[in-house]
Amino acid sequence: MDRLVYGGGIIGGYVIWKTMNWCEISLDTHPRSSTSFITVLLCAFHILNGCIFQPMEDWGLHLQAKQRIENAMKAWAIGSFGFLIVGILFGVSPISDSIETIIWGAMMSSMVILPGGMLFGCEVHSWRLFIFSNTTKTEEEQRRYYAAIGAIFGAWVGAMLIPLDWDRPWQVWPLPCVYGGLIGYFVSIVFFYNLLYDFKLN
């Protein structure tokens, strides 16, 4: 079931990408609306996956779906603000690029924080174990962990393309980080399942 869900997520991402191109709404021409659209879809996917396809009892949780979503969205909001601060600390203008940075932070949080938020909410101790412990991660936690690392690494690689003097439209903030984050996120999901599949075969 998990492979079906995330395989469908990857296929759905490709379909969304082609639909945006068909409607001539691309990241290059409409960065704000496109990134916001992607963010909403990512949030919807993770919430549906967490509430429908993933039983809460696997983690000893007994919260209602509404409470679980509320906790996850609180974590997502905190994560969005955190990525906003990170962007500003790395040199993004808090005035001229504020809207773009807020939207980018929301998108990154939907890939990095929201999936874990569906498991842990805002529980600091659980997040600390999730980030720093290598012995307590379940398969579901590992999937979220590697996907988050991939999104962060991809955004970091994308940021290195911004100062290059290629004068390409996709080099404008935050497009390289958006592209990099999305690519790193989906590549990490594929890598994790290939790694998990090979491990189970052996």
Side-chain angles (χ1 to χ4, degrees), residues 24-90:
E24 298 183 351
I25 303 176
S26 67
L27 286 169
D28 293 344
T29 57
H30 302 83
R32 292 182 181 179
S33 57
S34 298
T35 307
S36 300
F37 180 65
I38 293 171
T39 300
V40 170
L41 292 176
L42 285 169
C43 289
F45 169 74
H46 287 301
I47 290 173
L48 289 174
N49 178 48
C51 291
I52 298 176
F53 297 103
Q54 191 60 53
M56 298 168 60
E57 290 76 12
D58 287 355
W59 298 277
L61 301 175
H62 302 284
L63 299 176
Q64 297 294 327
K66 179 181 178 182
Q67 185 63 45
R68 193 178 185 189
I69 293 173
E70 290 178 356
N71 292 341
M73 294 310 294
K74 290 177 183 177
W76 172 79
I78 294 172
S80 300
F81 180 75
F83 279 108
L84 170 63
I85 298 301
V86 169
I88 294 174
L89 291 177
F90 275 88

Side-chain angles (χ1 to χ4, degrees), residues 108-184:
M108 289 297 297
S109 186
S110 67
M111 295 185 291
V112 176
I113 303 299
L114 182 60
M118 292 299 297
L119 302 183
F120 315 122
C122 298
E123 177 59 43
V124 176
H125 178 69
S126 298
W127 276 103
R128 186 167 61 248
L129 290 176
F130 175 69
I131 296 171
F132 297 110
S133 175
N134 292 322
T135 60
T136 60
K137 291 186 179 67
T138 64
E139 181 179 315
E140 185 68 18
E141 291 171 349
Q142 288 178 342
R143 178 197 304 139
R144 285 162 163 77
Y145 178 81
Y146 288 117
I149 293 297
I152 293 173
F153 179 75
W156 176 72
V157 172
M160 294 191 295
L161 302 177
I162 294 177
L164 299 179
D165 58 349
W166 294 346
D167 296 327
R168 302 294 184 181
W170 51 263
Q171 286 182 270
V172 178
W173 169 260
L175 291 183
C177 294
V178 171
Y179 283 119
L182 290 171
I183 292 172

